[in-house]
Amino acid sequence: KMTAGDEIIGLTRAFLYAGAPSIIASLWAVDDRSTALLMQRFYQNLSNANNKAESLRQAQISLLHDTEDTFFQHPYYWAAFELIGDYR
């Protein structure tokens, strides 16, 4: 019997079993524009030699404090994302 939330666990577990070292997953349906901005900032941070966990944290903080688009400051737009697996 599956309970609410089991889908995300099953999907991420499948990727980990298939050999993915880490996954960034969202806990709820997310906005496309804010996700694109968050991922752009995540990969910019990652290219600056940060580890994945710190890169995601910095990207989330950048949306929280974004002065150009205050619409995305609400946690709904960035807090859904979590890093699972290898944080480095």
Side-chain angles (χ1 to χ4, degrees):
K1 176 184 174 193
M2 287 182 53
T3 59
D6 282 349
E7 312 83 32
I8 192 72
I9 293 168
L11 183 60
T12 56
R13 185 177 295 140
F15 279 106
L16 293 171
Y17 286 163
S22 57
I23 300 151
I24 294 181
S26 65
L27 298 172
W28 56 79
V30 291
D31 177 78
D32 289 342
R33 292 183 310 132
S34 62
T35 300
L37 184 58
L38 180 78
M39 289 298 124
Q40 178 185 23
R41 292 179 183 183
F42 167 76
Y43 283 109
Q44 285 173 341
N45 294 332
L46 196 58
S47 70
N48 291 330
N50 291 320
N51 67 44
K52 295 171 208 166
E54 182 62 21
S55 295
L56 179 59
R57 186 182 83 81
Q58 287 179 6
Q60 290 170 320
I61 290 171
S62 75
L63 285 183
L64 174 64
H65 298 296
D66 196 330
T67 57
E68 291 180 27
D69 198 341
T70 59
F71 183 73
F72 295 139
Q73 289 179 346
H74 192 281
Y76 168 81
Y77 295 100
W78 51 265
F81 295 92
E82 64 178 358
L83 176 65
I84 301 165
D86 182 9
Y87 69 92
R88 295 169 278 149

